[in-house]
Amino acid sequence: MGHRTIGLPAQLIALLRKHQGEQQAERAKARQHWEEGDWVFATATGRPVSPYSDYHEWKDLLASAGLRDSRLHDARHTAATVLLILGVPERTVMGVMGWSGSGMARRCWHVTDGIRNTVAKQGDGMLGESSEEGEEPSQEAN
């Protein structure tokens, strides 16, 4: 398993610190039953959580949000796509995601209609006159 340094949004850091405080309370409550393992996510006694926990929590989260069923790994594709939407350069996305080649980026991120519209708007006016104000660019090209 590789290790890499990435930046975390302040909101995520705050959530992780809150979780750390909750875990400290669990550690104190478990006293001598706590098994130190330096896990970010652990059971109430400090043991590592089951690898299937993520799977089941992911499925429950999708169902409660009313979203289509998908693999937990698809969350990585979503993360890469969000970085693309945010305008993060490809080399940076590759570093964050741990990809060594751009082929992986092409397979894992997805160009959304919003991105297509943004690109179309950025190109507006390059051919001479600008489109009418408020006119949406075409979504399809033949």
Side-chain angles (χ1 to χ4, degrees):
M1 183 176 298
H3 291 86
R4 61 192 155 276
T5 302
I6 61 169
L8 296 176
Q11 290 173 313
L12 180 55
I13 292 170
L15 286 171
L16 288 170
R17 287 197 174 127
K18 179 180 179 223
H19 172 71
Q20 184 180 38
E22 292 166 353
Q23 195 171 62
Q24 291 292 353
E26 287 176 347
R27 178 182 276 115
K29 185 177 177 182
R31 296 188 300 237
Q32 74 273 11
H33 300 291
W34 184 267
E35 295 184 35
E36 195 60 55
D38 200 30
W39 302 103
V40 174
F41 299 100
T43 67
T45 57
R47 295 183 52 87
V49 295
S50 165
Y52 299 105
S53 296
D54 286 347
Y55 172 84
H56 295 297
E57 289 178 21
W58 174 252
K59 296 297 184 176
D60 291 345
L61 181 64
L62 291 173
S64 67
L67 298 172
R68 69 171 172 77
D69 187 46
S70 67
R71 302 169 305 160
L72 180 56
H73 183 78
D74 292 334
R76 282 184 55 82
H77 292 237
T78 300
T81 301
V82 167
L83 293 173
L84 177 64
I85 290 168
L86 293 174
V88 175
E90 183 176 335
R91 290 289 303 159
T92 303
V93 173
M94 289 172 52
V96 168
M97 301 303 292
W99 298 332
S100 59
S102 60
M104 195 65 174
R106 286 190 296 276
R107 285 194 303 274
C108 290
W109 65 25
H110 309 282
V111 179
T112 65
D113 287 342
I115 294 170
R116 286 183 193 96
N117 287 340
T118 298
V119 170
K121 287 177 184 175
Q122 289 173 340
D124 197 29
M126 291 179 63
L127 301 175
E129 295 181 30
S130 181
S131 68
E132 295 295 319
E133 191 65 34
E135 184 179 316
E136 286 296 316
S138 173
Q139 300 254 342
E140 289 187 31
N142 292 330

